């Protein structure tokens, strides 16, 4: 049975924004209650050529979760979670969050190792669709490595399970020439959520690798079979301050060689926003998970000794509580950004670039210089061990020319990434924002392969059109949620969406926003 299509203006407004920069009011919202309703909806969309925008919590940054078609809210209908601790597997419906999965796995000493900071609300469907990652991905990779199978509804309404090891399927195959092209053109970064993972598909021969990271453009995920891992017994870590970015060139590869479970970076541009934070050019936070306390402490000693001539600040933590205290500075980012003056908005336009590890210092220096040149303050932080940093651009949106400055910063950031052999998304995906950049990053021939993948899975282009494959009129910094020209929505809903953004409260049911406050 087809789910209700909700067309009330207030409901549509409640789904007009996700995290990130856009406000696009959808034509309708559907909240399917199960796979059958979703399949019926997709068949209807195919028959009527109606674009669908699959959506989880809406915490994705680059605009894959908003659009002018029918937004399909997948946070309600797919809550089932079944664990098989013996085989270290879990089957989670698309609505199940990272936190719920890990809460259920913890009593068995198990967990899903990649740990997005948004785990409290990011859904299983959203994480697979973006190939999400987190601080621990330096050791455990992105979620791709932990997906055993996905249940999907395809663009014609067929329901199917695609498993690891089951081969490339019937829809899309690579020729020997395209394999050579992929080997040549895919950048050598440790993480990548920028377009279809043809490199991984070529390597594994598994269709699953095309679906992971496909951002709702090839199929809609209704369940994920996760592989779980034992929680290591012990951990220890350190905070290491450096007085200049140049030190990263040696320090980061050295620390990565010690096999950390997290290696995070806070740039001076970020530290200045945090009250009482140590003010260094860069602060690295490192965590080592090991099987014994002695091993964890030993490797912290190795790290500190190995860098003693470069660091200007060292604090170590030899247990979980101490480590939590050291990492507090990292967790204060969201509250600090929430305290910015109301005129200064955090706009994520170049927020997810990933470069080869040895180019990280150069990338950050280039970002700082571009921000200075364009007069847009930024806060830079991220996953040093993967050569991957997030950038929050913080323009004063009441100043004249802020929009043009942001556009120039976007262009500068792209030039820099291309020059350094990087990718525009390490873990957040391409969305609408970066769709038009892919051709520059990979070249026209790989882009043609991306289009062929899209056509093979979604020939009518009803699944998230404009995401990954750019719309003909791609204008990345149009349809902003800020400033003149933002689509009009009721004030109370705009305020509540802003509160969600400031407090990272993406778990809030969006349909509830449509009910007027008493
Ligand atoms: C404060 C904050 C911190 C964050 N930290 C991290 C982090 O550490 N690591 C990280 O990787 N990301 C992070 N993110 C980004 C975001 O949380 C992730 O991209 C997450 O995986 C998105 O999940 P979601 O359920 O919110 O999906 P949405 O935002 O709703 O959707 C994201 C994309 O996935 C598609 N999609 C969603 N569900 C499905 C489905 N069931 N089937 C098919 N396609 C679907 C959508 O169409 C869209 O293209 C952060 C975001 C915020 C706001």
């Amino acid at each position: 049975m087809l789910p209700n299509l909700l067309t009330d203006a207030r409901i549509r407004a409640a789904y007009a924004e996700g995290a990130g920069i856009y406000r696009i009011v959808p034509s309708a919202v559907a909240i399917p209650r199960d796979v059958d309703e979703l399949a019926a909806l997709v068949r209807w969309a195919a028959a009527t050529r109606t674009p669908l925008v699959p959506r989880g919590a809406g915490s994705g940054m680059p605009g894959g979760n908003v659009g002018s078609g029918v937004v399909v809210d997948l946070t309600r209908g797919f809550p089932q979670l079944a664990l098989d601790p013996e085989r270290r597997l879990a089957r989670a419906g698309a609505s199940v969050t990272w936190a719920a999965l890990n809460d259920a796995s913890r009593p068995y000493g198990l967990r899903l190792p990649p740990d997005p900071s948004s785990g409290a609300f990011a859904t299983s469907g959203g994480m697979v669709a973006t190939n999400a990652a987190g601080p621990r991905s330096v050791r455990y990779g992105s979620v791709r490595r932990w997906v055993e199978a996905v249940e999907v509804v395809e663009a014609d309404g067929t329901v199917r399970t695609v498993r690891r090891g089951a081969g490339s399927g019937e829809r899309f195959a690579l020729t020997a020439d395209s394999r050579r092209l992929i080997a040549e053109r895919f950048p050598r970064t440790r993480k990548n959520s920028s377009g279809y993972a043809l490199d991984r598909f070529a390597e594994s021969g598994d269709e699953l690798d095309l679906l992971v990271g496909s951002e709702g453009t090839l199929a809609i995920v209704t369940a994920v079979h996760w592989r779980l891992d034992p929680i290591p017994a012990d951990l220890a870590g350190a905070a290491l301050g450096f007085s200049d970015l140049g030190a990263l060139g040696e320090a980061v590869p050295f620390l990565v060689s010690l096999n950390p479970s997290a290696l995070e970076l806070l740039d001076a541009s970020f530290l200045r926003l945090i009250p009482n934070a140590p003010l260094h050019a860069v602060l690295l936070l490192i965590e080592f998970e090991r099987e014994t306390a002695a091993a964890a402490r030993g490797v912290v000693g190795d790290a500190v000794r190995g860098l003693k001539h470069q660091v200007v600040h060292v604090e170590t933590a030899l247990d979980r509580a101490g480590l939590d205290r050291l990492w507090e500075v990292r967790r204060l980012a969201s509250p600090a950004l929430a305290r910015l003056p109301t005129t200064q908005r955090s706009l994520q336009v170049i927020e997810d670039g990933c470069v080869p590890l040895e180019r990280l210092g150069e990338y950050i220096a280039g970002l700082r210089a571009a921000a200075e040149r364009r007069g847009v303050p930024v806060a830079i932080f991220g996953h040093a061990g993967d050569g991957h940093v997030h950038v929050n651009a913080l323009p004063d949106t009441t100043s004249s020319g802020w929009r043009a400055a942001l556009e120039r910063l976007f262009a500068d950031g792209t030039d820099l990434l291309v020059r350094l052999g990087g990718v525009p998304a390490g873990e957040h995906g391409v969305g609408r924002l970066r769709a038009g950049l892919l051709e520059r990053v990979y070249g026209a021939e790989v882009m043609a392969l991306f289009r062929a993948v899209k056509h093979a899975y979604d020939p009518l282009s009803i699944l998230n059109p404009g995401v990954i494959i750019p719309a003909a009129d791609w204008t990345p910094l149009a349809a902003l949620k800020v400033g003149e020209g933002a689509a009009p929505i009721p004030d109370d809903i705009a305020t509540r969406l802003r509160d969600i953004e400031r407090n990272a409260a993406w778990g809030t049911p969006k349909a509830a926003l449509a009910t007027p406050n008493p």
Side-chain angles (χ1 to χ4, degrees):
M1 197 179 70
L2 198 62
N4 283 340
L5 286 184
L6 309 171
T7 53
D8 173 76
R10 289 183 62 83
I11 287 269
R12 294 190 291 116
Y15 285 87
E17 295 183 10
I21 61 175
Y22 295 118
R23 180 186 292 165
I24 305 174
V25 181
S27 61
V29 173
I31 312 179
R33 284 175 295 189
D34 55 27
V35 174
D36 289 344
E37 278 200 359
L38 178 61
L41 177 71
V42 174
R43 282 195 298 274
W44 166 83
T48 56
R49 303 281 201 276
T50 305
L52 298 177
V53 182
R55 173 163 170 142
S59 69
M61 296 284 180
N65 47 22
V66 289
S68 57
V70 175
V71 164
V72 187
D73 181 342
L74 299 154
T75 60
R76 295 280 153 255
F78 310 90
Q80 302 79 6
L81 174 60
L83 249 67
D84 181 349
E86 293 286 302
R87 296 170 60 215
R88 297 183 187 160
L89 293 174
R91 183 188 188 280
S95 317
V96 175
T97 62
W98 180 93
L101 173 67
N102 283 279
D103 287 349
S105 308
R106 201 171 300 112
Y108 301 98
L110 297 173
R111 67 177 182 181
L112 176 68
D115 56 339
S117 313
S118 52
F121 39 83
T123 61
S124 288
M127 287 189 286
V128 166
T130 52
N131 188 26
R136 293 211 173 104
S137 294
V138 66
R139 183 164 183 185
Y140 301 102
S142 304
V143 300
R144 173 185 308 285
R145 209 195 274 180
W146 303 91
V147 178
E148 279 298 304
V150 288
E151 181 189 86
V152 292
V153 174
E154 299 199 272
D156 61 359
T158 309
V159 182
R160 179 159 87 90
T161 297
V162 179
R163 295 181 188 282
R164 175 64 67 207
S168 58
E170 289 164 9
R171 297 198 183 276
F172 181 77
L174 290 170
T175 63
D177 278 351
S178 33
R179 283 172 187 281
R180 267 193 296 278
L181 186 73
I182 291 161
E184 234 172 69
R185 298 286 163 80
F186 267 67
R188 306 273 180 265
T189 52
R190 287 172 58 104
K191 278 157 94 180
N192 190 0
S193 280
S194 313
Y196 304 122
L198 290 175
D199 53 344
R200 299 307 176 94
F201 176 62
E203 223 172 82
S204 69
D206 277 346
E207 185 182 19
L208 185 63
D209 279 318
L210 287 179
L211 295 172
V212 174
S214 62
E215 301 186 52
T217 64
L218 302 184
I220 301 181
V221 176
T222 49
V224 182
H225 296 235
W226 293 109
R227 195 155 58 77
L228 304 173
D229 207 36
I231 301 172
D234 240 294
L235 83 186
L240 306 172
F242 298 84
S243 60
D244 100 79
L245 274 180
L248 292 181
E250 202 180 311
V252 170
F254 168 69
L255 292 170
V256 169
S257 75
L258 299 177
N259 197 12
S261 42
L263 175 49
E264 296 287 285
L265 172 151
L266 307 178
D267 179 62
S269 59
F270 174 100
L271 292 168
R272 75 186 162 79
L273 299 175
I274 315 281
N276 307 321
L279 271 183
H280 303 296
V282 63
L283 185 72
L284 294 181
L285 297 173
I286 184 154
E287 177 197 87
F288 294 101
E289 290 181 330
R290 293 293 187 268
E291 285 315 310
T292 64
R297 287 166 190 210
V299 70
V300 169
D302 294 343
V304 172
R305 273 190 301 279
L307 295 173
K308 69 173 183 266
H309 299 300
Q310 281 162 295
V311 290
V312 292
H313 168 102
V314 178
E315 268 181 275
T316 57
L318 302 179
D319 58 22
R320 154 93 42 213
L323 206 56
D324 281 350
R325 270 195 302 281
L326 276 192
W327 283 62
E328 193 57 26
V329 61
R330 168 82 166 80
R331 284 184 275 276
L332 291 174
S334 295
L337 292 171
R339 277 194 307 274
L340 288 173
T342 48
T343 53
Q344 203 177 4
R345 289 296 291 257
S346 172
L347 295 174
Q348 297 83 0
V349 291
I350 46 171
E351 90 291 356
D352 201 32
C354 189
V355 295
L357 206 52
E358 66 279 8
R359 315 302 294 267
L360 179 63
E362 226 177 310
Y363 181 48
I364 296 174
L367 287 169
R368 284 183 184 176
E372 180 79 30
R373 198 161 55 242
R374 303 306 178 193
V376 180
V378 292
I380 304 173
F381 63 102
H383 314 297
D386 282 321
H388 176 210
V389 289
H390 301 306
V391 182
N392 282 60
L394 306 169
D396 175 348
T397 53
T398 58
S399 70
S400 67
W402 68 270
R403 217 179 269 268
L406 199 64
E407 277 171 12
R408 288 190 196 108
L409 183 63
F410 183 64
D412 290 350
T414 306
D415 291 347
L416 188 60
L417 274 171
V418 170
R419 185 164 65 73
L420 298 176
V423 290
E427 64 186 19
H428 290 167
V430 170
R432 296 172 196 289
L433 177 65
R434 294 182 264 267
L437 303 182
L438 294 185
E439 182 153 343
R440 243 193 106 189
V441 173
Y442 295 105
E445 292 149 299
V446 170
M447 198 64 210
L449 289 177
F450 285 171
R451 288 182 200 282
V453 171
K454 172 71 174 172
H455 187 73
Y457 281 83
D458 179 21
L460 302 177
S461 199
I462 55 161
L463 297 178
N464 239 353
V467 171
I468 298 186
I469 305 300
D473 60 349
W474 177 70
T475 27
L477 300 194
L480 297 187
K481 56 168 78 159
V482 190
E484 276 173 30
I489 58 174
D491 286 346
D492 64 313
I493 294 181
T495 305
R496 288 159 89 182
L497 285 168
R498 179 88 172 100
D499 285 345
I500 287 178
E501 180 181 280
R502 288 168 86 102
N503 301 308
W506 291 102
T508 309
K510 307 308 173 300
L513 304 184
T515 313
N517 267 332

